Amino acid sequence: MKALGLLLALAVSASAALIESPQKGGLQLKSLSSLSFGPEGLLLVAEPGTASVLAIETGDTGGTKARLEKPVADIGAVIADGLGAKKEDITVKDLAVNPASGRVYLAVQRKPDNAVMIVTVDAAGKVAPLQLDGVPWARITLPGGTSSKVTNVTDVAFDKDRVFATGTCNEEFASRIFTIPVPLKHGSTANVFSAETYHVAHRKWETKAPIQSFIPYQSKEGTFVVGAFACTPVAKFRVDDIQSGAQVKGVSMVELGSGNRPLDLFTYADKSGKEWLVVHTQRFKQNKFGPSAMWGARIDMDYLDAQSPDKTNENAARRDEKQAKGPDGIEIVDALFGAVQVDKLSDTEAMVLRDNEGTLSLEVAALP
């Protein structure tokens, strides 16, 4: 019993260290664009309406991870019933799996009032609203500039001793990367960098296109934000030892094809131990590849270490848009066709919100 008590105390201490002097109660969600998790059930919420990041201690630290037992058919109707709305008035803005418990979290928006909420789905497929009464939380604002403001927050992620967020500002250098030190402090402000990227399909450097989705990435070269943009370059930005307000020039390593908008990024290792970056994306041109405008590709992580000019930017590897594979190390992931939202569940599976001819189902999909 003493050992169990010590373990519980350590867990509480680790969780408490993530937020400094958290708020208790009174949390109201204003808007939602992206969800992700840190350790100990720490939920991160990108809130574009207030140009901020919310950190919420959910208390969902699990113990034994629970995998969804079977698909939840027509989950949109289930959510709509709970909100007193029509299925067609419900939009799922994002999906995140809590790695501590396996529970699924969905960011939901309702029309016509644009009210937002977060719902959870347990292993049995039970859908319930996330209870916010009395939970510890903090809101950190994202600065625009001396005479500008943040116009969107596209993604957010935890990385060891800091939180990253991405978005846009109404300036010439509009694309932004934000960093927030941990422990997160309510009422504090993030550091901010302007990001410039070479768009391979456009054949020019651009400063306005936002990073749509990203992952933090550690290599022998340092710490990077690896992000994907519309049309669809995958680029990395080194974020070590950079002063707030600086401009960061990215390195584009892969081009997945014009006419696409990335939705989700994650990494995993296959059965052989080979590591992959998965880019889940939506095609917005008519000449779509495969059976759905929603699709995904996996990229050999070796591409992320590309440094030389003959392998980056103007010479970045381009996906063969007419084939399922090619060049070496870039492949279509068939399980992501039709996926509206995706998050990694394990190194063998992903959690997928799939559009089946207008009906959304929540299901587990095998990774190749």
Side-chain angles (χ1 to χ4, degrees):
M1 290 298 292
K2 289 183 178 179
L4 177 60
L6 177 59
L7 289 173
L8 289 173
L10 289 172
V12 171
S13 174
S15 180
L18 297 174
I19 300 180
E20 179 182 332
S21 303
Q23 304 295 293
K24 296 288 183 67
L27 174 57
Q28 294 183 339
L29 299 176
K30 306 295 185 181
S31 62
L32 296 169
S33 62
S34 179
L35 303 177
S36 68
F37 275 91
E40 299 293 333
L42 182 73
L43 177 62
L44 299 173
V45 180
E47 197 177 64
T50 60
S52 64
V53 168
L54 281 171
I56 304 171
E57 291 186 1
T58 64
D60 182 18
T61 55
T64 302
K65 293 183 180 180
R67 178 185 180 276
L68 188 68
E69 296 168 0
K70 61 181 181 179
V72 183
D74 204 0
I75 192 171
V78 177
I79 295 171
D81 288 344
L83 296 179
K86 298 177 181 179
K87 181 172 68 172
E88 56 267 26
D89 290 336
I90 296 299
T91 301
V92 178
K93 306 284 287 186
D94 200 16
L95 175 158
V97 177
N98 182 356
S101 66
R103 195 181 306 269
V104 179
Y105 287 64
L106 302 174
V108 176
Q109 183 173 352
R110 179 184 66 195
K111 293 180 180 178
D113 59 355
N114 290 328
V116 296
M117 70 180 304
I118 298 171
V119 301
T120 64
V121 187
D122 65 14
K126 182 181 178 181
V127 178
L130 176 64
Q131 297 300 319
L132 298 177
D133 295 340
V135 298
W137 61 279
R139 178 180 276 114
I140 300 91
T141 58
L142 305 179
T146 55
S147 59
S148 61
K149 64 179 182 178
V150 173
T151 55
N152 195 16
V153 185
T154 54
D155 204 0
V156 61
F158 190 96
D159 182 48
K160 296 182 179 179
D161 59 352
R162 55 188 159 180
V163 168
F164 289 108
T166 52
T168 52
C169 182
N170 59 341
E171 288 186 347
E172 176 63 28
F173 278 77
S175 181
R176 291 286 199 263
I177 300 172
F178 305 94
T179 65
I180 308 167
V182 174
L184 304 164
K185 185 176 181 180
H186 179 73
S188 63
T189 300
N191 294 319
V192 59
F193 315 127
S194 299
E196 184 176 9
T197 311
Y198 186 82
H199 279 238
V200 184
H202 302 172
R203 302 193 66 81
K204 64 179 181 179
W205 287 92
E206 297 183 5
T207 62
K208 292 186 178 296
I211 298 172
Q212 297 286 351
S213 187
F214 73 90
I215 59 164
Y217 175 65
Q218 307 283 338
S219 77
K220 61 183 181 181
E221 304 297 329
T223 302
F224 295 84
V225 165
V226 173
F229 297 73
C231 282
T232 315
V234 177
K236 64 182 180 182
F237 301 83
R238 185 167 179 171
V239 291
D240 288 329
D241 305 321
I242 297 177
Q243 296 296 316
S244 185
Q247 294 178 359
V248 184
K249 203 160 189 174
V251 178
S252 294
M253 303 152 295
V254 172
E255 171 59 54
L256 294 179
S258 62
N260 294 293
R261 183 174 70 89
L263 302 172
D264 303 285
L265 267 70
F266 64 86
T267 62
Y268 79 101
D270 66 18
K271 294 178 181 179
S272 70
K274 188 177 185 61
E275 293 189 344
W276 298 89
L277 171 68
V278 175
V279 182
H280 166 227
T281 188
Q282 175 184 12
R283 191 149 185 86
F284 53 80
K285 284 187 176 180
Q286 291 184 349
N287 57 333
K288 63 188 180 186
F289 177 92
S292 171
M294 302 291 186
W295 63 283
R298 66 176 188 171
I299 301 167
D300 188 328
M301 291 287 283
D302 287 346
Y303 278 105
L304 271 61
D305 292 328
Q307 297 286 339
S308 58
D310 63 331
K311 294 182 179 180
T312 59
N313 295 331
E314 295 92 335
N315 300 308
R318 289 174 174 260
R319 180 180 71 87
D320 186 340
E321 297 184 36
K322 296 181 180 180
Q323 302 294 329
K325 295 183 179 181
D328 288 346
I330 302 178
E331 305 172 358
I332 295 296
V333 179
D334 289 341
L336 297 186
F337 280 122
V340 178
Q341 302 289 346
V342 176
D343 197 15
K344 176 182 173 180
L345 185 60
S346 68
D347 277 336
T348 59
E349 296 175 320
M351 189 65 65
V352 174
L353 185 70
R354 196 181 306 277
D355 184 351
N356 296 308
E357 298 181 352
T359 298
L360 294 177
S361 65
L362 186 67
E363 55 193 68
V364 176
L367 293 170

